[in-house]
Amino acid sequence: MLNPIDTAAVIRDGGAVGHYPGQIHEAVAWWLGSCLVVTTKAPRLAVAHDDTAISVGFADRLCRGAINAQHYACRVGYLGHQSEQTLLDAATGAFQAPAAWVSTDTDDDATIVRIRLYTQDGRLLDDSTGLADIRDLIDSDRVPIPVNSQAKGTIERWPAQATTGAQP
């Protein structure tokens, strides 16, 4: 692993959380996207963020990891800047897919990045629904990669109006 992390400290609370830089870096988002697709066997994934510059970068890396997850050719619906609730409404409604929401916050002059991962039915991932598997894949440096170029997925901008019922 080029830039290891303390998986027990970072991969927790429904996804990943840590100080940036330091505990968490952009590659963690790539790893989470790829591992989420593989552990949930997701042909689709919905992704949004809170619109901070750091969150945008992490969300982009998460999307790129998701489309490069083994043979799944995952279709990522990228909602861009949306609230977490809007993401969940879209993911459990029209999109019917697992979801990932990226946000940042500051605490005593430190930036904290949080990536929350959700099941297809909108439940926060926990150890029994895939988080332990994701932690193990990252910890053992077995992050899924594409098997060939035909297995690569796509990232599709998903307009906000699609969350009101239009099909993605």
Side-chain angles (χ1 to χ4, degrees):
M1 185 179 300
L2 292 176
N3 196 354
I5 60 166
D6 180 348
T7 54
V10 173
I11 309 299
R12 60 183 172 85
D13 299 336
V17 61
H19 288 97
Y20 173 79
Q23 292 179 313
I24 195 169
H25 50 80
E26 292 91 343
V28 173
W30 197 100
W31 302 341
L32 287 175
S34 181
C35 291
L36 179 62
V37 168
V38 170
T39 58
T40 61
K41 298 175 176 42
R44 302 190 324 169
L45 179 68
V47 177
H49 57 76
D50 68 355
D51 204 34
T52 66
I54 294 170
S55 294
V56 170
F58 272 77
D60 175 68
R61 291 293 290 268
L62 191 142
C63 290
R64 288 190 284 145
I67 66 169
N68 284 295
Q70 288 181 341
H71 62 277
Y72 287 92
C74 184
R75 229 175 96 204
V76 176
Y78 181 64
L79 282 75
H81 175 217
Q82 299 292 333
S83 71
E84 189 171 12
Q85 188 59 54
T86 300
L87 169 68
L88 289 174
D89 291 346
T92 59
F95 212 73
Q96 297 183 347
W101 193 68
V102 182
S103 64
T104 58
D105 198 3
T106 55
D107 179 27
D108 297 328
D109 298 325
T111 300
I112 299 170
V113 173
R114 179 177 302 276
I115 303 170
R116 296 173 63 93
L117 305 175
Y118 291 92
T119 64
Q120 182 173 334
D121 60 357
R123 290 181 294 128
L124 195 59
L125 225 60
D126 62 27
D127 282 349
S128 69
T129 57
L131 197 60
D133 294 334
I134 290 171
R135 187 182 309 107
D136 290 344
L137 284 169
I138 294 170
D139 201 31
S140 64
D141 198 18
R142 292 185 17 240
V143 175
I145 58 173
V147 292
N148 57 47
S149 60
Q150 290 77 29
K152 190 171 184 172
T154 59
I155 300 171
E156 304 166 359
R157 284 215 165 273
W158 205 30
Q161 63 268 23
T163 62
T164 62
Q167 290 298 313

